[in-house]
Each structure stands twice: as structure tokens, then as C-alpha cells.
């Protein structure tokens, strides 16, 4: 290799540079993991608080319904008031407008003959 000086340190320098880069990469990854863990912990805390809030609301609603139900049982009608009643369906009379036939039935076949 005429005109070129051989650098015996080149390989060692390259190795050192690679190690340094790997170290920086590992440190960055560790920091990222730490940040993510912190974020997750905060999210978990928020979720826990929200769940507790929801539980409180549900309990309050349950107590209110219980009170309403108990109050109903002290009145006339009692818990039957809780049953939702639907009004009867509105249908028009199919025989409206027709005169009523008389003399039908089988009683003419039986009984006393004149």
C-alpha cells in the first residue's frame, strides 16, 4: 500500500466510538423507559381516582333509589307503584255502525213450544 500510512489505532478508535454510541443509545432508552413508566403511573393514578369517583356516584344513586323505594312502601299502593303500566291499546270498534242482530242463538230449538 504505497503512499498510505497504516493506522494501527483505527480499529481501536472505531471500537471505542461504537461503544460510546451504544452507551448513549442505552442511556436514551433507559430515560425513555423511565419517562414512560412515570406517565403510566400517572395514568394509573388518574384511572384509579376516576374509578373511585364512579363507585361513589353509583353508591349515592343506589342509596337514593333505596330511599325512594322505602318511602313508597310507606304510602298507599306501595311497591305496586313501581310497576310501569301501559295504557290499553286504542283500537276502533269493528262493529261500530252496524245494527245489532237479534234473535240469534240456539235457544229457539229448545225449551217450551207454543
Amino acid at each position: 500500500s504505497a503512499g498510505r500510512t497504516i493506522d494501527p489505532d483505527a480499529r481501536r478508535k472505531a471500537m471505542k466510538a461504537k461503544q460510546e454510541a451504544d452507551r448513549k443509545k442505552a442511556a436514551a432508552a433507559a430515560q425513555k423507559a423511565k419517562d414512560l413508566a412515570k406517565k403510566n403511573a400517572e395514568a394509573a393514578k388518574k384511572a384509579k381516582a376516576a374509578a373511585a369517583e364512579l363507585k361513589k356516584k353509583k353508591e349515592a344513586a343506589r342509596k337514593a333509589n333505596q330511599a325512594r323505594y322505602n318511602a313508597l312502601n310507606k304510602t298507599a299502593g306501595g311497591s305496586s307503584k313501581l310497576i310501569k303500566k301501559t295504557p290499553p291499546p286504542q283500537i276502533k270498534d269493528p262493529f261500530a255502525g252496524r245494527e245489532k242482530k237479534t234473535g240469534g242463538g240456539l235457544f229457539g230449538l229448545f225449551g217450551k213450544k207454543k
Side-chain angles (χ1 to χ4, degrees):
S1 58
R4 209 190 293 164
T5 58
I6 296 165
D7 184 6
D9 273 355
R11 192 161 172 277
R12 193 172 59 79
K13 282 180 187 164
M15 238 1 219
K16 205 168 198 161
K18 186 182 179 309
Q19 279 180 344
E20 196 58 44
D22 285 351
R23 194 178 297 120
K24 276 187 185 159
K25 213 183 272 178
Q31 186 58 42
K32 205 173 188 181
K34 206 187 242 180
D35 290 347
L36 191 65
K38 190 175 178 188
K39 194 170 160 190
N40 284 347
E42 283 173 13
K45 202 186 268 184
K46 266 189 198 162
K48 202 172 183 185
E53 190 66 33
L54 186 69
K55 196 174 177 187
K56 249 189 231 170
K57 270 188 189 163
K58 274 190 178 169
E59 185 64 23
R62 193 184 70 75
K63 280 196 174 133
N65 281 338
Q66 186 82 41
R68 199 177 305 143
Y69 180 77
N70 289 343
L72 269 180
N73 282 337
K74 290 177 181 61
T75 61
S79 63
S80 61
K81 284 184 192 165
L82 291 175
I83 300 163
K84 289 190 169 57
K85 292 184 184 78
T86 54
Q90 295 298 315
I91 52 173
K92 73 183 211 311
D93 183 7
F95 301 110
R98 289 196 211 168
E99 73 278 357
K100 189 174 184 191
K101 289 185 192 160
T102 51
L106 298 173
F107 292 108
L109 302 176
F110 307 106
K112 290 185 201 136
K113 301 277 187 270
K114 287 186 180 119

